[in-house]
Amino acid sequence: MSTVYFVIPCYNEEAVLPETIKELTAQIQGMIQSGLADEKSRMLFVDDGSRDKTWELIEKFHAENPLVNGLKLAHNRGHQNALLAGLMTAKEEADCAISLDADLQDDVAVLPQFVQKFQEGCDVVYGVRNKRETDTWFKRTTAQSFYKIMEKLGAEVVYNHADYRLMSKRALEALSEYKEVNLFLRGMVPLIGYRSDYVYYDRHERFAGESKYPLKKMISFAMDGITSFSVKPLKIISNLGFLVAAISVVGLLYALISHFTGNAVAGWTAIVCSIWLLGGIQMLCLGIVGEYIGKIYSEVKHRPRFRIEQHLK
Ligand code: UDP
Ligand code: MG
């Protein structure tokens, strides 16, 4: 039997917490009864610096339910950092940890399957969505094109897998060796390379509260994923540079011919156009190069990724 931890990052989730705790308690108890999990198994709620009553609720449930543990981050550090904080804590106390969202959009009925696969010897079990009917058209299309782009750029991500996954203690220890600050866990976990498997499930709608991932956060998350895992954008820039250089040779020939045939003044339009074109492209390139320099900057600082304020056990 193994100690199973559920790790649940929560940001302003007071509306969903009581129900979530109820359902997950039932899951843990079920697993204990069926011999999948032992008595030391817990839910670990990570409060990601919420501004509502989330932490008070976690404290309250911790007092009355022995299965509820809590971890309070001092600031709102975002989903990925909060999740990592939880996983790194679970690593010390559990044999395996399953990460899931507080809103239970990911079907909890498949939780025992994760543990079964773990007991069969898998170190990582990915939860994969069967279909995305419950997502809005917009979210579905943007998310799916994101997976396709990531694949084209050469980063290994599991299609339609978010952060619903089980990791063994060994896999978590490996994950802790990745010291990067720009976290994109679903890209990092496949790099660990231990034996893995999939569990398929249907995604539900959020039963209460609002999505904490507005468009702005989604875009910056996707950008993080791409720039942290692929240097292809840099290659695209150099290719673009070659293309522009080739075009400008033709332009130069054209300008020279115009000069010698006495039509130089007529070239004004071409000059103005190329100034704008080149200026634009250079700025674009600088921007993308700047993205990477920005990352180097934050990586070399080696700042701590989270600070735990309290730890209820
Ligand atoms: N979350 C977090 N910190 C944040 C934003 C979100 O810990 O800054 C948590 C949130 O409480 C939830 C999970 O990340 O448990 C996923 O967020 P959400 O359900 O809002 O995202 P969506 O399902 O809409 O993509
Ligand atoms: Mg959600």
Side-chain angles (χ1 to χ4, degrees), residues 223-235:
M223 278 302 284
D224 252 359
I226 291 168
T227 50
S228 300
F229 282 88
S230 171
V231 286
K232 284 228 173 121
L234 285 173
K235 288 223 177 75

Side-chain angles (χ1 to χ4, degrees), residues 234-248:
L234 285 173
K235 288 223 177 75
I236 296 173
I237 294 177
S238 30
N239 290 346
L240 203 68
F242 272 119
L243 192 73
V244 173
I247 294 171
S248 50

Side-chain angles (χ1 to χ4, degrees), residues 2 24 26 28 35 58 74 94 105 113 131 147 153 157 165-166 172 204 221 226 230 249-250 254 286 298:
S2 34
L24 291 180
I28 292 199
I58 295 171
Q105 281 187 284
Q113 291 181 31
K131 45 188 193 268
Y147 287 110
L153 291 175
V157 283
R165 85 176 79 76
L166 175 146
L172 290 170
H204 306 302
F221 186 52
I226 291 168
S230 171
V249 169
V250 178
Y254 170 72
L286 277 178
S298 51

Side-chain angles (χ1 to χ4, degrees), residues 250-262:
V250 178
L252 188 73
L253 282 177
Y254 170 72
L256 282 174
I257 292 166
S258 308
H259 177 75
F260 287 115
T261 53

Side-chain angles (χ1 to χ4, degrees), residues 165-199:
R165 85 176 79 76
L166 175 146
M167 293 178 79
S168 67
K169 197 189 199 78
R170 194 161 75 119
L172 290 170
E173 266 153 16
L175 183 69
S176 71
E177 285 161 21
Y178 289 78
K179 302 286 181 203
E180 61 206 75
V181 174
N182 293 287
L183 283 183
F184 188 71
L185 291 170
R186 64 192 76 168
M188 290 158 71
V189 175
L191 296 178
I192 294 173
Y194 288 141
R195 190 176 144 194
S196 64
D197 206 342
Y198 308 96
V199 163

Side-chain angles (χ1 to χ4, degrees), residues 101-119:
D101 290 352
D103 54 16
L104 298 191
Q105 281 187 284
D106 307 315
D107 192 3
V108 293
V110 299
L111 280 168
Q113 291 181 31
F114 280 90
V115 184
Q116 266 150 18
K117 302 232 161 166
F118 165 69
Q119 292 183 342

Side-chain angles (χ1 to χ4, degrees), residues 13 101-106 139 203-206 210-213:
E13 298 285 14
D101 290 352
D103 54 16
L104 298 191
Q105 281 187 284
D106 307 315
K139 182 134 190 170
R203 190 164 159 98
H204 306 302
E205 267 169 71
R206 215 176 218 282
E210 281 172 6
S211 172
K212 309 296 181 296
Y213 262 99

Side-chain angles (χ1 to χ4, degrees), residues 7-13 16 46-50 54 73 76-83 100-106 129 135 139 162-163 186 203-204 206 208-214 217-218:
V7 178
I8 310 113
C10 309
Y11 177 57
N12 295 344
E13 298 285 14
V16 302
V46 185
D47 174 25
D48 185 18
S50 298
T54 299
L73 298 195
N76 177 235
R77 298 293 291 118
H79 175 218
Q80 300 287 295
N81 285 305
L83 188 52
L100 63 166
D101 290 352
D103 54 16
L104 298 191
Q105 281 187 284
D106 307 315
R129 271 173 242 178
D135 283 349
K139 182 134 190 170
D163 283 306
R186 64 192 76 168
R203 190 164 159 98
H204 306 302
R206 215 176 218 282
E210 281 172 6
S211 172
K212 309 296 181 296
Y213 262 99
K217 269 198 197 172
M218 259 168 66

